[in-house]
Amino acid sequence: MTDRRQIPYTQELARKGIHLSSLSIPLIYLHIDRATALQILVPLTLIALVLNVLMYRHGPTRTLMMGLVGGMLRGHERDEKRMLLNGASWVLIAATLIIALTPKILAVTSFTTLILSDTFAALVGRKWGRRRFLDKSVLGSSVFLGIAVMIVGAYGMSFALPWTYFAAGLAGAVVCTVVEAASVRLHVDDNLSIPFSMALTMWGLASLFDAKHLPPFLSVLP
């Protein structure tokens, strides 16, 4: 299946380079509280949404934005007939919601997974992936899962988290890998579905572990 949203690979590299810059969000959030993070993210998200609307409703803005980033926009993001949010807007929406609604350890784990796993899975899968897995490739999904597991391991070891975090993180990594691979047929932007599928899976397991009086991990980060 050919994804109608594909852009030239060189532009994909540039797009994912910008995507990687969003890694600053969870890294900064590790050092500030939720209220401060939202005070930064909410205005940025609103600005992105306003620009998104102006791109469709205001000719000069559209001309400017197309000149700056038009080559990196997917087909549905350039469609003049209907207004759809671009990837940058969805990333900021996802960051704002995941930080506002979930414990910090879940937010940083799931959002880091969104940025790193999605970036490298897309680049590797598109370049070398041949065998299909749902809407993506076996290779791309394997890279996605491998990086997600490494992220869980890195955070778990960095903060000396209990084994329950690793178990929940592994389950969350598997779930969000499948969700990402099915992103086209699910009709949900993967910038939103990836972090929330992982965070909610981990949260559900954390609640189960807590009910069984196993080591908690949701409150390990202030």
Side-chain angles (χ1 to χ4, degrees):
M1 174 189 283
T2 300
D3 189 343
R4 65 183 178 87
R5 301 172 300 174
Q6 278 195 354
I7 56 177
Y9 193 74
T10 53
Q11 294 297 329
E12 190 73 62
L13 287 169
R15 183 183 175 102
K16 292 306 183 185
I18 294 174
H19 193 58
L20 277 175
S21 68
S22 300
L23 186 61
S24 61
I25 294 173
L27 295 181
I28 291 173
Y29 184 40
L30 285 171
H31 303 286
I32 60 177
D33 61 26
R34 175 180 290 162
T36 303
L38 292 176
Q39 287 171 3
I40 297 169
L41 281 171
V42 170
L44 290 177
T45 302
L46 291 175
I47 290 170
L49 291 173
V50 169
L51 286 175
N52 216 142
V53 172
L54 287 176
M55 187 173 170
Y56 285 90
R57 302 291 175 86
H58 186 245
T61 300
R62 181 175 181 82
T63 300
L64 175 63
M65 295 301 293
M66 291 300 290
L68 292 174
V69 298
M72 290 184 283
L73 297 178
R74 305 202 190 282
H76 69 283
E77 296 171 328
R78 289 183 277 119
D79 191 344
E80 296 184 61
K81 297 180 180 179
R82 56 177 182 161
M83 187 178 72
L84 296 173
L85 297 181
N86 57 40
S89 295
W90 278 118
V91 165
L92 287 169
I93 290 171
T96 300
L97 291 177
I98 204 76
I99 288 173
L101 299 175
T102 69
K104 180 178 279 192
I105 188 60
L106 301 186
V108 297
T109 301
S110 62
F111 201 80
T112 302
T113 298
L114 165 64
I115 301 306
L116 294 181
S117 290
D118 183 61
T119 294
F120 292 104
L123 295 178
V124 172
R126 183 169 171 186
K127 188 74 171 178
W128 294 287
R130 296 294 179 266
R131 294 181 60 191
R132 304 305 297 173
F133 173 60
L134 299 176
D135 302 321
K136 301 301 175 71
S137 69
V138 171
L139 179 60
S141 293
S142 298
V143 170
F144 187 101
L145 178 59
I147 293 176
V149 170
M150 287 191 286
I151 289 167
V152 170
Y155 278 127
M157 290 185 288
S158 295
F159 297 107
L161 300 181
W163 69 266
T164 48
Y165 168 81
F166 292 90
L170 178 59
V174 171
V175 169
C176 74
T177 297
V178 175
V179 167
E180 192 277 338
S183 58
V184 175
R185 66 189 70 192
L186 289 175
H187 302 292
V188 179
D189 193 278
D190 60 8
N191 289 306
L192 200 61
S193 62
I194 289 169
F196 272 96
S197 62
M198 185 175 199
L200 292 176
T201 299
M202 294 180 69
W203 205 344
L205 286 172
S207 299
L208 178 61
F209 293 150
D210 187 56
K212 298 292 184 180
H213 305 291
L214 296 173
F217 64 85
L218 291 181
S219 301
V220 295
L221 298 181

